[in-house]
Amino acid sequence: MRNEILNLLTSRPGKYISGEAISQNLGITRAAVWKQIQVLRESGYDIEAQTKNGYRLAKTPLSLEEWVLKRGLETKTLGREIHFFEELPSTNDYAKTLIRQGVQDGAVILAQRQTEGRGRMQRAWESPEGGIWMSIILKPHLSLADAAKLTLSTGVALARTCRKLYGLDIQIKWPNDLVYRGKKIAGILGEVVGEWNTVQTLILGVGINANLERADLPSTLPATTFKEELGQLINLNDLVIAFLEALETEVESLEEGDIDGLRARWLTYAAGLGKEVQVERAGHVFKGILKGISTSGELILEENHQELLFSSGDVKLRTSEGYI
Ligand code: ATP
Ligand code: BTN
């Protein structure tokens, strides 16, 4: 009913539609129409009412709304199937359940909050209400080695989208964090599902500290949020739509084999590039200059005129930009 009213309200963009017309179209009373309008208003839809003309949708909400997402998305596959929840333990875990049941390529899972959000190496990921906690299921036409590069593609798509929408100098901290002025603002967790020799399915988990107050996250974390940095709430639907469109372009470009292009784009966003950084692996600290990433996505560190390669695994990168 909710979606049907929204569809009617937008059937003639910018124009009013009478309560009578809605009531006849949907076979409900005028009072029921009024009640549904109130419910929509409570969800953040700005609906104007004029006694003579009826109702008009003036503005959609900033918070995530399945109807707004579906209406705005212009992708071919990403987000064509959306699973939307108020709360989940983890969208990545739910993605695994869906994959077992059979799910469309590009399906997206979104939760308003997660109770057991995870980062790499099973680290806890704080996911209170106001953030974007999502997983994208992909069945790409890629070898396993190239499919693993999709976490880099995701970083590029998200960094580009955030820079374009908010003008913030967002950087990618290898391998999977988005940082702003050295503080983590988003994280990416890529997981491969499937056996060798079968069609690989990938889960791209993306967590964005969007409309959170800084105080919603533990004060000990070197983290920030878009709300904190911009001093205002952002439109979560616009962000998800623009990001999925950018990601689809990146996936297509990787499927066309443009690995050098991906690497070049990734490097334009890389935090600490050409600077002295520290890489910690199994308790051992390597100090050197961050030279870039290899074609397979490993980090290249120059230490005493020697190039060392690190694959993401349990490796921690520390840049001098305050990220600890
Ligand atoms: P690396 O520097 O190698 O990425 P990391 O310590 O940042 O390592 P990740 O697995 O990338 O580890 O991310 C998980 C960590 O991120 C958690 O251990 C916690 O410190 C931090 N964290 C948890 N929730 C959030 C959040 N919403 N925003 C920013 N940081 C968070
Ligand atoms: C990291 O920086 O370690 C990655 C964090 C990834 C968090 C996202 S939130 C949506 C998805 N579900 C999870 O449990 N984790 C990812």
Side-chain angles (χ1 to χ4, degrees):
M1 180 61 67
R2 184 190 171 92
N3 289 359
E4 286 162 351
I5 293 200
L6 285 166
N7 289 340
L8 282 174
L9 283 172
T10 45
S11 55
R12 289 189 308 146
K15 297 266 172 8
Y16 282 86
I17 177 161
S18 69
E20 185 58 34
I22 301 178
S23 120
Q24 276 182 6
N25 246 289
L26 302 180
I28 57 174
T29 63
R30 295 277 299 270
V33 172
W34 171 249
K35 209 168 150 214
Q36 291 293 334
I37 296 281
Q38 291 310 106
V39 173
L40 286 169
R41 282 178 173 156
E42 276 158 31
S43 303
Y45 289 87
D46 181 358
I47 300 170
E48 293 170 358
Q50 280 189 359
T51 357
K52 234 174 55 203
N53 299 320
Y55 302 103
R56 190 174 78 106
L57 180 61
K59 247 196 229 143
T60 53
L62 298 180
S63 55
L64 286 174
E65 282 286 314
E66 195 174 342
W67 181 84
V68 182
L69 288 174
K70 287 199 165 143
R71 182 164 159 262
L73 265 174
E74 286 181 4
T75 49
K76 292 184 211 119
T77 48
L78 296 200
R80 294 280 124 213
E81 179 178 332
I82 298 182
H83 299 259
F84 197 80
F85 296 88
E86 269 181 27
E87 185 178 292
L88 275 182
S90 152
T91 55
N92 267 35
D93 290 349
Y94 189 79
K96 286 177 200 158
T97 309
L98 276 184
I99 291 167
R100 278 196 295 274
Q101 293 169 356
V103 70
Q104 206 179 306
D105 180 24
V108 166
I109 300 119
L110 278 157
Q112 281 169 330
R113 53 184 181 274
Q114 298 182 119
T115 50
E116 287 164 46
R118 286 179 293 109
R120 291 193 307 146
M121 317 305 291
Q122 298 296 325
R123 291 176 194 126
W125 181 261
E126 302 285 336
S127 320
E129 193 146 349
I132 294 176
W133 322 121
M134 72 190 295
S135 296
I136 302 135
I137 297 174
L138 285 184
K139 300 177 182 180
H141 304 286
L142 292 170
S143 67
L144 183 59
D146 284 347
K149 298 188 182 82
L150 280 169
T151 51
L152 301 177
S153 312
T154 310
V156 167
L158 191 56
R160 183 191 306 132
T161 303
C162 293
R163 283 191 184 200
K164 197 162 122 193
L165 291 184
Y166 312 119
L168 298 179
D169 184 26
I170 302 282
Q171 295 189 309
I172 308 175
K173 186 180 145 284
W174 183 89
N176 64 338
D177 293 337
L178 256 69
V179 294
Y180 179 67
R181 296 194 174 152
K183 292 180 191 157
K184 202 190 293 198
I185 200 156
I188 296 157
L189 175 68
E191 296 186 90
V192 179
V193 181
E195 309 288 329
W196 282 103
N197 302 327
T198 65
V199 177
Q200 296 294 336
T201 305
L202 247 105
I203 302 170
L204 293 170
V206 179
I208 311 173
N209 296 338
N211 287 340
L212 306 181
E213 302 290 342
R214 178 60 190 85
D216 294 335
L217 296 171
S219 60
T220 47
L221 291 184
T224 191
T225 76
F226 282 99
K227 163 92 181 10
E228 170 81 13
E229 299 299 339
L230 297 167
Q232 62 183 54
L233 294 169
I234 59 173
N235 187 318
L236 302 188
N237 300 296
D238 287 351
L239 176 50
V240 169
I241 289 168
F243 164 62
L244 288 177
E245 289 175 358
L247 181 60
E248 188 163 273
T249 306
E250 284 298 325
V251 175
E252 284 170 357
S253 137
L254 200 58
E255 285 178 337
E256 282 158 16
D258 187 18
I259 292 165
D260 287 338
L262 168 63
R263 193 157 65 118
R265 287 190 291 283
W266 191 91
L267 288 173
T268 61
Y269 300 121
L273 190 66
K275 294 192 183 147
E276 183 156 294
V277 298
Q278 293 187 8
V279 177
E280 198 186 307
R281 187 175 59 192
H284 193 97
V285 177
F286 302 82
K287 273 190 196 165
I289 306 292
L290 200 164
K291 299 297 278 186
I293 50 168
S294 69
T295 43
S296 45
E298 297 143 315
L299 182 95
I300 307 171
L301 185 80
E302 190 185 278
E303 193 191 47
N304 301 327
H305 307 291
Q306 260 198 327
E307 283 196 350
L308 303 176
L309 291 185
F310 295 89
S311 52
S312 60
D314 192 13
V315 174
K316 274 184 186 293
L317 167 68
R318 299 284 170 251
T319 69
S320 59
E321 277 140 358
Y323 189 89
I324 36 164

PDB file of all heavy atoms in Angstrom, residues 67 78 95 116 134 142 148 157 161 189 224 241 256 258 260 267 277 282 286 305 317:
ATOM      1  N   TRP A  67      11.880   2.099  -1.611  1.00  0.00           N
ATOM      2  CA  TRP A  67      11.152   2.673  -2.744  1.00  0.00           C
ATOM      3  C   TRP A  67      11.994   3.752  -3.439  1.00  0.00           C
ATOM      4  O   TRP A  67      12.049   3.814  -4.669  1.00  0.00           O
ATOM      5  CB  TRP A  67       9.819   3.254  -2.252  1.00  0.00           C
ATOM      6  CG  TRP A  67       8.985   3.842  -3.354  1.00  0.00           C
ATOM      7  CD1 TRP A  67       8.137   3.165  -4.176  1.00  0.00           C
ATOM      8  CD2 TRP A  67       8.952   5.214  -3.768  1.00  0.00           C
ATOM      9  NE1 TRP A  67       7.565   4.024  -5.078  1.00  0.00           N
ATOM     10  CE2 TRP A  67       8.045   5.286  -4.844  1.00  0.00           C
ATOM     11  CE3 TRP A  67       9.590   6.372  -3.334  1.00  0.00           C
ATOM     12  CZ2 TRP A  67       7.766   6.484  -5.496  1.00  0.00           C
ATOM     13  CZ3 TRP A  67       9.318   7.569  -3.983  1.00  0.00           C
ATOM     14  CH2 TRP A  67       8.408   7.621  -5.051  1.00  0.00           C
ATOM     15  N   LEU A  78      23.343  -4.258 -10.465  1.00  0.00           N
ATOM     16  CA  LEU A  78      23.522  -3.974  -9.034  1.00  0.00           C
ATOM     17  C   LEU A  78      22.294  -3.313  -8.420  1.00  0.00           C
ATOM     18  O   LEU A  78      21.827  -2.282  -8.899  1.00  0.00           O
ATOM     19  CB  LEU A  78      24.745  -3.076  -8.789  1.00  0.00           C
ATOM     20  CG  LEU A  78      26.109  -3.640  -9.143  1.00  0.00           C
ATOM     21  CD1 LEU A  78      27.219  -2.900  -8.423  1.00  0.00           C
ATOM     22  CD2 LEU A  78      26.194  -5.113  -8.835  1.00  0.00           C
ATOM     23  N   ALA A  95      23.988 -12.473   3.509  1.00  0.00           N
ATOM     24  CA  ALA A  95      24.273 -12.699   2.083  1.00  0.00           C
ATOM     25  C   ALA A  95      24.593 -14.176   1.854  1.00  0.00           C
ATOM     26  O   ALA A  95      24.166 -14.764   0.858  1.00  0.00           O
ATOM     27  CB  ALA A  95      25.438 -11.825   1.632  1.00  0.00           C
ATOM     28  N   GLU A 116      26.076  -7.719  14.923  1.00  0.00           N
ATOM     29  CA  GLU A 116      27.365  -8.431  14.921  1.00  0.00           C
ATOM     30  C   GLU A 116      28.155  -8.121  13.656  1.00  0.00           C
ATOM     31  O   GLU A 116      28.641  -9.037  12.980  1.00  0.00           O
ATOM     32  CB  GLU A 116      27.128  -9.941  15.038  1.00  0.00           C
ATOM     33  CG  GLU A 116      26.685 -10.376  16.422  1.00  0.00           C
ATOM     34  CD  GLU A 116      26.101 -11.784  16.403  1.00  0.00           C
ATOM     35  OE1 GLU A 116      26.710 -12.670  15.788  1.00  0.00           O
ATOM     36  OE2 GLU A 116      25.022 -11.971  16.987  1.00  0.00           O
ATOM     37  N   MET A 134      25.896  -2.469   4.200  1.00  0.00           N
ATOM     38  CA  MET A 134      25.349  -3.171   3.048  1.00  0.00           C
ATOM     39  C   MET A 134      26.272  -4.256   2.525  1.00  0.00           C
ATOM     40  O   MET A 134      27.487  -4.205   2.740  1.00  0.00           O
ATOM     41  CB  MET A 134      25.033  -2.179   1.916  1.00  0.00           C
ATOM     42  CG  MET A 134      26.254  -1.612   1.214  1.00  0.00           C
ATOM     43  SD  MET A 134      25.863  -0.241   0.091  1.00  0.00           S
ATOM     44  CE  MET A 134      24.888  -1.049  -1.129  1.00  0.00           C
ATOM     45  N   LEU A 142      34.944 -13.464 -13.911  1.00  0.00           N
ATOM     46  CA  LEU A 142      36.352 -13.205 -13.617  1.00  0.00           C
ATOM     47  C   LEU A 142      37.003 -14.454 -13.040  1.00  0.00           C
ATOM     48  O   LEU A 142      36.330 -15.278 -12.411  1.00  0.00           O
ATOM     49  CB  LEU A 142      36.470 -12.093 -12.560  1.00  0.00           C
ATOM     50  CG  LEU A 142      36.060 -10.671 -12.940  1.00  0.00           C
ATOM     51  CD1 LEU A 142      36.017  -9.798 -11.703  1.00  0.00           C
ATOM     52  CD2 LEU A 142      37.027 -10.088 -13.968  1.00  0.00           C
ATOM     53  N   ALA A 148      39.268 -11.259  -6.736  1.00  0.00           N
ATOM     54  CA  ALA A 148      39.794 -10.726  -5.476  1.00  0.00           C
ATOM     55  C   ALA A 148      40.085  -9.220  -5.590  1.00  0.00           C
ATOM     56  O   ALA A 148      40.099  -8.513  -4.575  1.00  0.00           O
ATOM     57  CB  ALA A 148      41.043 -11.492  -5.080  1.00  0.00           C
ATOM     58  N   ALA A 157      35.387   2.928  -6.326  1.00  0.00           N
ATOM     59  CA  ALA A 157      34.025   3.418  -6.595  1.00  0.00           C
ATOM     60  C   ALA A 157      33.516   4.257  -5.424  1.00  0.00           C
ATOM     61  O   ALA A 157      32.901   5.315  -5.623  1.00  0.00           O
ATOM     62  CB  ALA A 157      33.088   2.230  -6.848  1.00  0.00           C
ATOM     63  N   THR A 161      32.876   8.316  -5.465  1.00  0.00           N
ATOM     64  CA  THR A 161      31.515   8.785  -5.204  1.00  0.00           C
ATOM     65  C   THR A 161      31.506   9.806  -4.064  1.00  0.00           C
ATOM     66  O   THR A 161      30.872  10.855  -4.161  1.00  0.00           O
ATOM     67  CB  THR A 161      30.617   7.580  -4.834  1.00  0.00           C
ATOM     68  OG1 THR A 161      30.686   6.644  -5.890  1.00  0.00           O
ATOM     69  CG2 THR A 161      29.179   7.993  -4.621  1.00  0.00           C
ATOM     70  N   LEU A 189      34.733  -5.177   3.234  1.00  0.00           N
ATOM     71  CA  LEU A 189      35.090  -6.561   3.558  1.00  0.00           C
ATOM     72  C   LEU A 189      34.642  -7.467   2.420  1.00  0.00           C
ATOM     73  O   LEU A 189      33.448  -7.704   2.250  1.00  0.00           O
ATOM     74  CB  LEU A 189      34.401  -6.975   4.874  1.00  0.00           C
ATOM     75  CG  LEU A 189      34.568  -8.421   5.312  1.00  0.00           C
ATOM     76  CD1 LEU A 189      36.011  -8.698   5.714  1.00  0.00           C
ATOM     77  CD2 LEU A 189      33.644  -8.735   6.488  1.00  0.00           C
ATOM     78  N   THR A 224      35.845   8.592  11.984  1.00  0.00           N
ATOM     79  CA  THR A 224      35.001   9.775  11.860  1.00  0.00           C
ATOM     80  C   THR A 224      33.757   9.413  11.040  1.00  0.00           C
ATOM     81  O   THR A 224      33.621   8.277  10.603  1.00  0.00           O
ATOM     82  CB  THR A 224      35.773  10.972  11.263  1.00  0.00           C
ATOM     83  OG1 THR A 224      34.965  12.143  11.409  1.00  0.00           O
ATOM     84  CG2 THR A 224      36.118  10.769   9.793  1.00  0.00           C
ATOM     85  N   ILE A 241      22.808   5.008  -4.261  1.00  0.00           N
ATOM     86  CA  ILE A 241      22.551   4.974  -5.711  1.00  0.00           C
ATOM     87  C   ILE A 241      23.825   5.326  -6.493  1.00  0.00           C
ATOM     88  O   ILE A 241      24.247   4.588  -7.390  1.00  0.00           O
ATOM     89  CB  ILE A 241      21.400   5.938  -6.085  1.00  0.00           C
ATOM     90  CG1 ILE A 241      20.067   5.373  -5.568  1.00  0.00           C
ATOM     91  CG2 ILE A 241      21.329   6.178  -7.594  1.00  0.00           C
ATOM     92  CD1 ILE A 241      18.902   6.344  -5.625  1.00  0.00           C
ATOM     93  N   GLU A 256      36.300  -6.395 -18.448  1.00  0.00           N
ATOM     94  CA  GLU A 256      36.892  -6.159 -19.774  1.00  0.00           C
ATOM     95  C   GLU A 256      38.409  -6.293 -19.723  1.00  0.00           C
ATOM     96  O   GLU A 256      39.097  -6.107 -20.711  1.00  0.00           O
ATOM     97  CB  GLU A 256      36.511  -4.759 -20.276  1.00  0.00           C
ATOM     98  CG  GLU A 256      35.094  -4.710 -20.819  1.00  0.00           C
ATOM     99  CD  GLU A 256      34.518  -3.295 -20.825  1.00  0.00           C
ATOM    100  OE1 GLU A 256      35.303  -2.320 -20.709  1.00  0.00           O
ATOM    101  OE2 GLU A 256      33.286  -3.175 -20.917  1.00  0.00           O
ATOM    102  N   ASP A 258      40.616  -4.484 -17.808  1.00  0.00           N
ATOM    103  CA  ASP A 258      41.402  -3.261 -17.612  1.00  0.00           C
ATOM    104  C   ASP A 258      42.001  -3.180 -16.195  1.00  0.00           C
ATOM    105  O   ASP A 258      41.628  -2.310 -15.389  1.00  0.00           O
ATOM    106  CB  ASP A 258      40.528  -2.029 -17.902  1.00  0.00           C
ATOM    107  CG  ASP A 258      41.353  -0.752 -17.871  1.00  0.00           C
ATOM    108  OD1 ASP A 258      42.600  -0.846 -17.970  1.00  0.00           O
ATOM    109  OD2 ASP A 258      40.761   0.331 -17.729  1.00  0.00           O
ATOM    110  N   ASP A 260      45.179  -2.480 -15.452  1.00  0.00           N
ATOM    111  CA  ASP A 260      46.057  -1.308 -15.316  1.00  0.00           C
ATOM    112  C   ASP A 260      45.243  -0.056 -14.997  1.00  0.00           C
ATOM    113  O   ASP A 260      45.665   0.784 -14.205  1.00  0.00           O
ATOM    114  CB  ASP A 260      46.852  -1.074 -16.611  1.00  0.00           C
ATOM    115  CG  ASP A 260      47.937  -2.128 -16.755  1.00  0.00           C
ATOM    116  OD1 ASP A 260      48.329  -2.726 -15.727  1.00  0.00           O
ATOM    117  OD2 ASP A 260      48.364  -2.372 -17.900  1.00  0.00           O
ATOM    118  N   LEU A 267      45.504   4.222  -7.361  1.00  0.00           N
ATOM    119  CA  LEU A 267      46.660   4.999  -6.885  1.00  0.00           C
ATOM    120  C   LEU A 267      46.336   6.477  -6.705  1.00  0.00           C
ATOM    121  O   LEU A 267      46.929   7.143  -5.856  1.00  0.00           O
ATOM    122  CB  LEU A 267      47.848   4.826  -7.842  1.00  0.00           C
ATOM    123  CG  LEU A 267      48.518   3.443  -7.770  1.00  0.00           C
ATOM    124  CD1 LEU A 267      49.571   3.286  -8.857  1.00  0.00           C
ATOM    125  CD2 LEU A 267      49.127   3.192  -6.390  1.00  0.00           C
ATOM    126  N   VAL A 277      55.960   4.752   5.514  1.00  0.00           N
ATOM    127  CA  VAL A 277      54.875   4.082   6.234  1.00  0.00           C
ATOM    128  C   VAL A 277      55.440   2.875   6.991  1.00  0.00           C
ATOM    129  O   VAL A 277      56.601   2.518   6.809  1.00  0.00           O
ATOM    130  CB  VAL A 277      53.765   3.589   5.270  1.00  0.00           C
ATOM    131  CG1 VAL A 277      53.117   4.737   4.532  1.00  0.00           C
ATOM    132  CG2 VAL A 277      54.312   2.553   4.281  1.00  0.00           C
ATOM    133  N   ALA A 282      52.595 -10.223  11.472  1.00  0.00           N
ATOM    134  CA  ALA A 282      52.949 -11.225  12.488  1.00  0.00           C
ATOM    135  C   ALA A 282      53.938 -10.654  13.511  1.00  0.00           C
ATOM    136  O   ALA A 282      54.981 -11.249  13.798  1.00  0.00           O
ATOM    137  CB  ALA A 282      53.511 -12.472  11.814  1.00  0.00           C
ATOM    138  N   PHE A 286      57.849  -3.463   9.358  1.00  0.00           N
ATOM    139  CA  PHE A 286      58.688  -3.060   8.232  1.00  0.00           C
ATOM    140  C   PHE A 286      58.463  -1.559   8.019  1.00  0.00           C
ATOM    141  O   PHE A 286      57.319  -1.109   8.004  1.00  0.00           O
ATOM    142  CB  PHE A 286      58.269  -3.798   6.960  1.00  0.00           C
ATOM    143  CG  PHE A 286      58.337  -5.294   7.068  1.00  0.00           C
ATOM    144  CD1 PHE A 286      57.294  -6.015   7.665  1.00  0.00           C
ATOM    145  CD2 PHE A 286      59.439  -5.988   6.581  1.00  0.00           C
ATOM    146  CE1 PHE A 286      57.356  -7.394   7.761  1.00  0.00           C
ATOM    147  CE2 PHE A 286      59.506  -7.378   6.678  1.00  0.00           C
ATOM    148  CZ  PHE A 286      58.467  -8.090   7.268  1.00  0.00           C
ATOM    149  N   HIS A 305      66.176   0.135  -0.303  1.00  0.00           N
ATOM    150  CA  HIS A 305      66.326  -0.068  -1.760  1.00  0.00           C
ATOM    151  C   HIS A 305      65.847  -1.427  -2.244  1.00  0.00           C
ATOM    152  O   HIS A 305      66.197  -1.868  -3.329  1.00  0.00           O
ATOM    153  CB  HIS A 305      67.785   0.173  -2.198  1.00  0.00           C
ATOM    154  CG  HIS A 305      68.291   1.512  -1.729  1.00  0.00           C
ATOM    155  ND1 HIS A 305      67.818   2.690  -2.242  1.00  0.00           N
ATOM    156  CD2 HIS A 305      69.184   1.834  -0.765  1.00  0.00           C
ATOM    157  CE1 HIS A 305      68.399   3.691  -1.608  1.00  0.00           C
ATOM    158  NE2 HIS A 305      69.233   3.202  -0.709  1.00  0.00           N
ATOM    159  N   LEU A 317      48.713  -1.627   7.891  1.00  0.00           N
ATOM    160  CA  LEU A 317      49.487  -0.521   7.334  1.00  0.00           C
ATOM    161  C   LEU A 317      49.282   0.700   8.217  1.00  0.00           C
ATOM    162  O   LEU A 317      48.158   1.029   8.583  1.00  0.00           O
ATOM    163  CB  LEU A 317      49.008  -0.233   5.903  1.00  0.00           C
ATOM    164  CG  LEU A 317      49.475   1.069   5.275  1.00  0.00           C
ATOM    165  CD1 LEU A 317      50.974   1.051   5.006  1.00  0.00           C
ATOM    166  CD2 LEU A 317      48.721   1.318   3.973  1.00  0.00           C
TER     167      LEU A 317
END
